[in-house]
Amino acid sequence: MGPKRQPTLDEVAARAGVSRSAASRVINNARHVSQAKRDAVERAVAELGFVPNPTARALATQQVGAVVLALSHHDPAQFTDPFFAQIILGVNAELEKTDLELLLVLANTTQGQARLQRILKSRRADGVMLMALRGDDPLAALADQHDVPVVFGGRPLHGEPRWYVDADNRGGSRLATEHLIGLGRRHIAVITGQLDTDAGASRHRGYLDAMAVAGLSPSRVEHGDFTEPAGAAAMTRLLAAYPEVDGVVAGSDAMAAGALRALKAHGRSVPGDVAVVGFDDLLTALHTDPQLTTVHQPVHGLGREMAKMLLSLIAGEEPHPLILPTRLVRRASA
């Protein structure tokens, strides 16, 4: 009879009822794994008599000195978007305190997603930050597929990841709507971002919250994609369907800028006829005519906090999810 076959990592994972990467994280004593999974893997290791390969373990725990910022977004011009530019600047500001390199990956296509998977499978990164996920984006499953920590910039629409940094989108939109109600506006419309993103859906819910409390109809709704052309088109549709509209909550500054352009083209004064509030408080808000009342979210800070959270995970710490506050900035449009 030959020597007894050693159990494999796959068998440990199957016995514990976890993914292979989760089993690897426990065996390599990484801290970015839940206590329940850790207990299950440790029981499976004991029951099967699994002995880690020292060479493989050393390779698994070796840091390579790079992290990934992956953007899952449909617009190839996203790097010119002030929002994403501020995110990247914030991430870079935090990483400059370390020796880690930043890899930017556009993961909005099949090829981009495959490239990201190759980077992670070959352990060419110590961690990942994910931005701009939509709906059932396959990137949302990365946290359970690879033995690297993953931090989400903004929560996915479905599920609740262990580590994320987000802004108070719902509360901010509620503030914007309450401001218009406080100005005496009663026919308030909303221009939403994509509702298959958590930011778009949460900002829409904030509008609905405030309208419900005030006893006002929330039926004046048009949808956009966070861009200026979408905001202009949505505002034009709103004016055709609801000529009585006297207030607009836009899901981004860019869409609010488009709405202002459409209102001017249709001879409506702002804020006299229609008051407009945006969301983001980027430079766009200072360059509209009139200057834009908007909801400030700390976009640069969001990038910094994402990087800070990922660094904590790489160091073996257990950070908590973080929601950054939003506030209303009053200017001339409302």
Side-chain angles (χ1 to χ4, degrees), residues 128-297:
V128 183
M129 293 163 282
L130 294 179
M131 284 293 303
L133 299 191
R134 297 179 61 184
D136 294 320
D137 195 311
L139 293 186
L142 278 178
D144 289 326
Q145 293 176 351
H146 297 281
D147 186 22
V148 294
V150 177
V151 171
F152 290 80
R155 286 164 291 187
L157 187 63
H158 306 296
E160 185 84 357
R162 291 193 67 198
W163 299 293
Y164 62 83
V165 181
D166 206 351
D168 184 9
N169 291 299
R170 186 170 183 170
S173 186
R174 186 172 59 248
L175 282 176
T177 311
E178 289 171 346
H179 176 64
L180 292 177
I181 294 169
L183 295 176
R185 309 300 166 126
R186 292 296 177 266
H187 307 291
I188 302 170
V190 63
I191 301 175
T192 77
Q194 295 103 320
L195 296 183
D196 63 348
T197 65
D198 185 77
S202 293
R203 293 174 194 179
H204 185 214
R205 286 195 295 269
Y207 161 83
L208 295 175
D209 291 343
M211 294 293 278
V213 170
L216 299 176
S217 170
S219 61
R220 301 172 185 87
V221 181
E222 281 294 343
H223 306 295
D225 61 3
F226 295 116
T227 67
E228 183 172 341
M235 190 72 248
T236 299
R237 294 193 299 270
L238 283 169
L239 290 173
Y242 309 104
E244 76 282 3
V245 65
D246 60 3
V248 175
V249 176
S252 71
D253 287 350
M255 291 196 299
L260 292 175
R261 179 159 53 86
L263 287 165
K264 183 176 182 179
H266 285 82
R268 303 293 183 93
S269 68
V270 178
D273 295 327
V274 183
V276 178
V277 183
F279 200 114
D280 286 328
D281 195 25
L282 298 170
L283 283 176
T284 301
L286 297 176
H287 297 301
T288 57
D289 184 20
Q291 287 192 339
L292 191 62
T293 293
T294 186
V295 175
H296 175 87
Q297 64 165 332

Side-chain angles (χ1 to χ4, degrees), residues 9 79 96 118 137 167 198 243 256 321:
L9 179 61
F79 284 120
E96 281 183 341
R118 288 195 299 273
D137 195 311
D198 185 77

Side-chain angles (χ1 to χ4, degrees), residues 16 25 42 50 61 77 98-99 110 127 159 182 192 199 201 222-223 230-231 242 252 279 287 292 299-300 308-309 331:
R25 289 197 293 270
E42 289 174 349
F50 177 80
T61 56
T98 75
D99 293 326
T110 302
T192 77
E222 281 294 343
H223 306 295
Y242 309 104
S252 71
F279 200 114
H287 297 301
L292 191 62
V299 182
H300 187 273
K308 190 181 296 185
M309 185 174 292
R331 297 193 181 98

